[in-house]
Amino acid sequence: MLISFEGIDGSGKSTQARRLYEHLIKAGYNASLYRDPGSTELAEKIRELILSSQMDATTELFLFESARSHLVWYRVFPDLKEGKIVILDRFIDSTTAYQGYGREINLGTVSILNHIAIRGKKPDITFLLNVKLETALNRIKGKRTRFEDLDYLRKVRDAYLLIAHENKDRIVVIDAEVSEEEVFQEVLRVLRNKGLRV
Ligand code: TYD
């Protein structure tokens, strides 16, 4: 089973991804947790490149997809083959939201590159942690973030909701304005409905 967490910076997705991972391990599942971009030696190098430089949208898109391709090929697929539950902190919907809607790259192009990078293997379930822009900004205050630009972040936030609306079979929108514990219980509830004993 492949599970991804999505949301704007400050939505709390990394915390929830980690909590779920720890919960699954305690419950006796074989699971792994990866961040995209990253989690292989090469993908971490690409991550550094992306986060430390300004670049045109297309170059950035290719770098994100290269990092993802490597992660999928060398971590995700082998793990799934072993029967593990794989949890991803960000995945394809980040690229659609940030590069597609945010940086206005043609959505068809983004979709094709996403498809190539993941070899067609979409997540079985994606949690979109939805917060107001103000909440996210408060949470990331003081922390390093690439996107100080409010308009950009607003565009990405709205894009995520649109993407969720268009992928109702896969993406579950979770209200992440509430407490960390409440968000986590909601994640577990959704997974139980999917038949997972957690
Ligand atoms: P991330 O490590 O998740 O940062 P944060 O903890 O702030 O959420 O992601 C790094 C940044 O890269 C984040 O601002 C979102 C951006 N990003 C894209 O623009 N496109 C992508 O495809 C991905 C995966 C991330």
Side-chain angles (χ1 to χ4, degrees):
M1 189 176 200
L2 185 57
I3 303 169
S4 65
F5 282 83
E6 296 279 1
I8 55 172
D9 315 62
S11 61
K13 63 177 173 43
S14 304
T15 308
Q16 294 297 332
R18 173 150 297 280
R19 277 196 72 163
L20 178 60
Y21 169 73
E22 284 165 4
H23 186 92
L24 289 177
I25 295 291
K26 266 197 204 133
Y29 283 100
N30 226 336
S32 42
L33 170 66
Y34 300 122
R35 65 173 180 183
D36 179 20
S39 298
T40 72
E41 202 179 316
L42 180 72
E44 286 294 333
K45 283 184 187 160
I46 298 174
R47 178 190 179 87
E48 270 304 302
L49 283 177
I50 301 171
L51 295 182
S52 62
S53 20
Q54 301 274 359
M55 63 190 79
D56 66 282
T58 304
T59 306
E60 187 182 72
L61 171 67
F62 275 106
L63 286 179
F64 275 119
E65 296 295 3
S66 299
R68 176 167 305 136
S69 169
H70 204 254
L71 171 63
V72 163
W73 193 252
Y74 290 101
R75 296 283 185 274
V76 176
F77 281 176
D79 285 2
L80 290 177
K81 219 169 168 185
E82 271 180 37
K84 283 186 177 176
I85 298 176
V86 178
I87 302 166
L88 295 167
D89 183 350
R90 292 197 184 282
F91 205 43
I92 46 173
D93 304 303
S94 284
T95 317
T96 310
Y98 285 81
Q99 278 66 50
Y101 287 95
R103 298 199 72 178
E104 297 180 1
I105 295 185
N106 179 281
L107 292 176
T109 303
V110 174
S111 171
I112 289 168
L113 290 188
N114 268 341
H115 183 81
I116 293 171
I118 65 175
R119 282 79 166 173
K121 175 65 188 155
K122 286 191 178 175
D124 298 293
I125 184 154
T126 297
F127 293 104
L128 170 58
L129 302 197
N130 185 39
V131 285
K132 285 189 243 153
L133 203 57
E134 302 78 59
T135 309
L137 290 174
N138 273 329
R139 288 184 187 163
I140 58 180
K141 222 181 239 165
K143 278 198 230 157
R144 186 187 72 141
T145 170
R146 292 176 75 223
F147 303 115
E148 314 295 344
D149 184 345
L150 270 192
D151 285 341
Y152 184 76
L153 217 52
R154 185 173 293 117
K155 254 206 276 190
V156 171
R157 182 193 176 271
D158 295 347
Y160 263 133
L161 290 175
L162 205 66
I163 296 165
H165 188 75
E166 285 167 355
N167 293 274
K168 285 206 185 87
D169 53 325
R170 172 172 67 85
I171 305 180
V172 179
V173 182
I174 292 190
D175 174 16
E177 288 287 332
V178 297
S179 73
E180 186 189 311
E181 180 59 29
E182 283 170 289
V183 173
F184 186 60
Q185 289 309 320
E186 184 60 18
V187 167
L188 290 183
R189 196 188 61 77
V190 171
L191 289 176
R192 283 183 199 118
N193 277 345
K194 287 248 163 198
L196 214 63
R197 295 223 298 273
V198 285

